C-alpha cells in the first residue's frame, strides 16, 4: 500500500517538472527580457510617483511647521508683562478682596457707616489683619471727611492710595547687593519655599550680569542639599555643600572663602529651617552671622525671610519670631498665586515695618518678582 502511494507521488512530481520545463522552453529569452523591461518601467513610475508624493508631504510638513512656528512666535509676542503677570498671580486674592468690594459698592450707592463696617469685614477675612484693617478704615474715614466723598465708587481710588502708603516702609525695597561683593542669608521655616526661592533669586541676580554662588547651609532637612544642587544646575550656579548633618556655620565659612577666591559678586546662603525652639534657632543663626561678620566684613548684607502667603496671619507670627533673632532686611513672600490670603502683605509691612522685596506669583523661573507697592495696589484693586 505504501509502495503504491510513494510511486504515485513520485510520478506526479516528475510530470510537474516536465511541464515546467516545457513552459520554460516555449518562452524565448527575448520575451523574458522584454517582460523584465516592462516591469522595471512600471516600478520606476511607481517610485517617481511615490517620490512626488513624499516631496509634497515634506513641503506640507514644512509649511505646517512654519505655521506652527509663526503661531508660537505670535503667541510669545503678547507675553505677560510685569504688571499683567502680577495681576494674573493675584487672581485668587482679587476674588477675595476686589470682587467683594465691587459687589459691596453696587449694593450701596452712598457711603455710610454700614458700608464701612462691611468693608472692614472683607479686609479682615482676607487676612489683612485686625490692626492693619483698623488703620485702613481710619484713614479712609479721614479721606471721606476731608474730600466730602459720598459715592461708593469714589472709594476705590482712595483705597489704592491708602494701600500704597501702608505697603511703603521706611526701608528700601530693592536688594542691597551693589557694589560687589554681597552676601544674602536666607531664613525661614521648612515648607515655605525657601530653597526654591534661593534658586529663583540666583537666576534673577545672574540675569543682572552678576557672578552668583550658593551655599547649602540647611543640613538638617533631608534632601535640602540635593534640592539646592538641582537648582544650581538649572540656573548654572556653583553650590558649596557638605554632607547632611554637617555644621551649617562651617559650610558658610567654606562658601565665603570660595566666593573670595573666585571673585563672586553675590553669595546666597540657605539656612536651617527645622529647629525645635527659639533657642536653637538663635544659636544656629548666631553662629552663621558671627562667621559672616568675621570672614566677610567688606560684603554688603541682606537677611531675607521667606514666608508662605497661604498661611495667612501665621506668616506674620513667623516674621515676629525671626525678627527677635535676626536683623531682617526684607521679606520674600511665596505662593501668592495659590491663595486668597494675599492681604497678609499689608499686615507684614504695616505691623513689622519690614519691606517685602520679592513676591512669588507662579511656579516659573521668572515668577519671583521684585515687589513694587504702587503696582501691587493697582493690580489688587484695578477694575479689569
Amino acid at each position: 500500500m505504501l509502495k503504491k502511494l510513494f510511486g504515485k507521488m513520485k510520478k506526479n512530481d516528475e510530470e510537474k517538472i516536465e511541464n515546467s520545463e516545457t513552459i520554460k522552453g516555449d518562452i524565448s529569452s527575448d520575451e523574458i527580457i522584454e517582460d523584465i523591461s516592462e516591469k522595471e518601467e512600471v516600478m520606476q513610475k511607481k517610485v517617481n510617483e511615490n517620490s512626488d508624493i513624499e516631496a509634497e508631504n515634506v513641503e506640507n510638513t514644512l509649511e505646517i511647521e512654519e505655521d506652527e512656528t509663526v503661531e508660537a512666535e505670535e503667541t510669545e509676542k503678547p507675553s505677560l508683562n510685569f504688571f499683567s503677570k502680577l495681576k494674573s498671580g493675584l487672581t485668587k486674592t482679587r476674588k477675595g478682596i476686589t470682587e467683594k468690594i465691587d459687589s459691596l459698592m453696587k449694593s450701596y450707592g452712598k457711603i455710610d457707616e454700614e458700608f464701612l463696617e462691611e468693608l472692614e469685614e472683607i479686609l479682615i477675612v482676607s487676612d489683612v489683619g485686625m490692626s492693619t484693617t483698623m488703620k485702613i478704615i481710619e484713614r479712609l474715614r479721614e479721606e471721606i471727611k476731608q474730600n466730602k466723598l459720598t459715592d461708593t465708587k469714589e472709594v476705590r481710588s482712595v483705597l489704592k492710595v491708602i494701600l500704597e502708603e501702608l505697603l511703603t516702609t521706611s526701608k528700601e525695597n530693592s536688594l542691597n547687593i551693589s557694589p560687589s561683593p554681597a552676601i544674602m542669608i536666607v531664613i525661614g521655616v521648612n515648607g515655605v519655599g525657601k530653597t526654591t526661592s534661593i534658586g529663583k533669586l540666583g537666576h534673577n541676580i545672574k540675569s543682572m550680569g552678576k557672578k552668583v554662588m550658593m551655599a547649602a547651609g540647611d543640613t538638617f532637612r533631608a534632601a535640602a542639599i540635593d534640592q539646592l544642587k538641582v537648582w544650581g544646575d538649572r540656573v548654572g550656579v556653583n553650590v558649596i555643600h557638605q554632607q547632611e548633618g554637617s555644621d551649617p556655620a562651617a559650610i558658610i565659612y567654606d562658601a565665603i572663602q570660595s566666593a573670595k577666591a573666585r571673585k563672586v559678586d553675590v553669595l546666597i546662603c540657605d539656612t536651617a529651617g527645622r529647629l525645635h525652639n527659639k533657642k536653637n534657632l538663635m544659636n544656629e543663626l548666631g553662629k552663621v552671622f558671627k562667621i559672616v561678620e568675621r570672614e566677610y566684613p567688606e560684603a554688603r548684607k541682606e537677611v531675607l525671610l521667606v514666608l508662605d502667603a497661604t498661611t495667612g496671619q501665621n506668616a506674620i507670627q513667623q516674621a515676629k519670631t525671626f525678627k527677635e533673632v535676626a536683623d531682617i532686611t526684607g521679606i520674600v513672600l511665596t505662593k501668592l498665586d495659590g491663595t486668597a490670603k494675599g492681604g497678609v502683605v499689608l499686615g507684614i509691612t504695616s505691623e513689622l515695618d519690614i519691606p517685602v522685596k520679592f513676591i512669588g506669583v507662579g511656579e516659573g523661573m521668572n515668577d519671583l518678582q521684585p515687589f513694587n507697592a504702587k503696582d501691587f495696589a493697582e493690580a489688587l484693586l484695578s477694575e479689569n
Side-chain angles (χ1 to χ4, degrees):
M1 189 75 179
L2 288 170
K3 278 186 180 180
K4 279 186 181 181
L5 185 61
F6 283 122
K8 273 188 179 181
M9 288 172 66
K10 189 174 180 184
K11 192 176 180 182
N12 288 339
D13 288 340
E14 286 172 356
E15 284 175 357
K16 282 180 184 177
I17 292 165
E18 283 175 8
N19 289 337
S20 64
E21 284 176 351
T22 306
I23 291 165
K24 283 180 185 176
D26 291 342
I27 300 170
S28 66
S29 60
D30 291 337
E31 285 173 337
I32 291 169
I33 291 167
E34 189 178 348
D35 186 55
I36 290 168
S37 299
E38 285 175 2
K39 284 180 179 177
E40 284 179 347
E41 285 178 8
V42 171
M43 289 291 288
Q44 189 61 45
K45 280 182 182 179
K46 285 185 178 180
V47 169
N48 291 338
E49 284 172 4
N50 287 337
S51 298
D52 291 338
I53 291 166
E54 284 176 8
E56 191 177 343
N57 287 339
V58 169
E59 287 175 3
N60 290 337
T61 303
L62 287 172
E63 286 174 5
I64 290 166
E65 287 176 354
E66 286 173 1
D67 290 340
E68 286 174 351
T69 305
V70 170
E71 283 175 11
E73 287 173 355
E74 287 173 355
T75 305
E76 286 174 9
K77 280 179 185 176
S79 60
L80 294 174
N81 59 27
F82 179 86
F83 181 76
S84 299
K85 191 176 278 189
L86 174 61
K87 190 174 173 181
S88 175
L90 291 173
T91 300
K92 289 187 178 179
T93 297
R94 281 172 53 81
K95 283 181 180 177
I97 297 178
T98 316
E99 290 184 10
K100 288 180 181 178
I101 290 174
D102 287 342
S103 178
L104 184 64
M105 287 176 180
K106 288 173 185 175
S107 301
Y108 291 84
K110 291 184 178 181
I111 300 169
D112 58 19
E113 192 60 34
E114 196 174 338
F115 169 80
L116 291 172
E117 283 178 7
E118 289 206 32
L119 178 59
E120 181 182 307
E121 187 180 329
I122 290 170
L123 295 173
I124 291 170
V125 170
S126 301
D127 269 84
V128 172
M130 183 64 77
S131 61
T132 305
T133 298
M134 293 300 105
K135 286 180 187 176
I136 293 170
I137 297 298
E138 190 179 329
R139 282 280 292 108
L140 185 58
R141 286 180 190 278
E142 289 173 8
E143 290 294 322
I144 290 168
K145 188 176 180 180
Q146 189 175 334
N147 297 300
K148 297 179 180 178
L149 304 177
T150 57
D151 194 336
T152 56
K153 291 178 183 177
E154 297 172 299
V155 170
R156 184 191 297 275
S157 57
V158 177
L159 267 178
K160 283 182 188 177
V161 175
I162 294 170
L163 295 192
E164 187 183 339
E165 287 175 3
L166 281 173
L167 291 167
T168 305
T169 66
S170 59
K171 298 168 186 174
E172 191 65 41
N173 276 89
S174 58
L175 285 176
N176 178 30
I177 56 173
S178 293
S180 302
I183 184 167
M184 296 167 64
I185 309 296
V186 184
I187 59 179
V189 300
N190 286 343
V192 295
K194 182 161 56 73
T195 307
T196 300
S197 295
I198 290 171
K200 291 180 181 180
L201 278 169
H203 170 72
N204 190 303
I205 296 167
K206 190 184 176 187
S207 66
M208 298 177 192
K210 292 185 178 291
K211 190 174 181 181
V212 181
M213 180 183 283
M214 298 176 189
D218 186 357
T219 59
F220 292 94
R221 181 170 69 88
I225 297 167
D226 291 335
Q227 189 183 351
L228 194 62
K229 282 163 68 179
V230 168
W231 269 104
D233 292 337
R234 285 181 67 185
V235 178
V237 168
N238 287 326
V239 177
I240 304 301
H241 61 89
Q242 292 179 15
Q243 63 185 9
E244 192 177 317
S246 301
D247 181 9
I251 294 168
I252 303 305
Y253 175 86
D254 288 347
I256 289 171
Q257 304 313 315
S258 184
K260 286 179 178 179
R262 301 184 195 185
K263 296 183 179 178
V264 166
D265 295 312
V266 182
L267 172 62
I268 310 174
C269 303
D270 195 2
T271 59
R274 189 181 67 185
L275 295 165
H276 301 294
N277 54 49
K278 198 186 295 182
K279 187 180 178 182
N280 285 348
L281 177 66
M282 196 178 296
N283 289 340
E284 285 298 332
L285 290 178
K287 286 199 293 184
V288 168
F289 292 138
K290 272 184 184 177
I291 292 290
V292 172
E293 290 296 332
R294 190 184 72 206
E295 301 296 328
Y296 221 10
E298 70 273 24
R300 292 177 173 272
K301 295 167 187 67
E302 282 277 6
V303 180
L304 298 181
L305 171 63
V306 182
L307 297 172
D308 179 352
T310 63
T311 61
Q313 287 297 299
N314 190 41
I316 296 177
Q317 294 306 314
Q318 287 176 27
K320 286 177 179 177
T321 301
F322 276 96
K323 195 178 181 185
E324 291 177 25
V325 299
D327 184 17
I328 303 166
T329 59
I331 301 285
V332 177
L333 193 62
T334 64
K335 308 176 189 180
L336 262 176
D337 58 312
T339 182
K341 299 178 179 180
V344 71
V345 181
L346 295 159
I348 291 167
T349 53
S350 173
E351 291 184 37
L352 304 173
D353 194 37
I354 302 173
V356 175
K357 296 202 172 186
F358 284 89
I359 52 173
V361 291
E363 295 180 0
M365 189 91 79
N366 296 308
D367 289 336
L368 188 70
Q369 300 186 351
F371 181 76
N372 181 288
K374 186 175 183 179
D375 286 347
F376 187 88
E378 182 65 36
L380 190 63
L381 293 174
S382 59
E383 293 185 50
N384 298 314

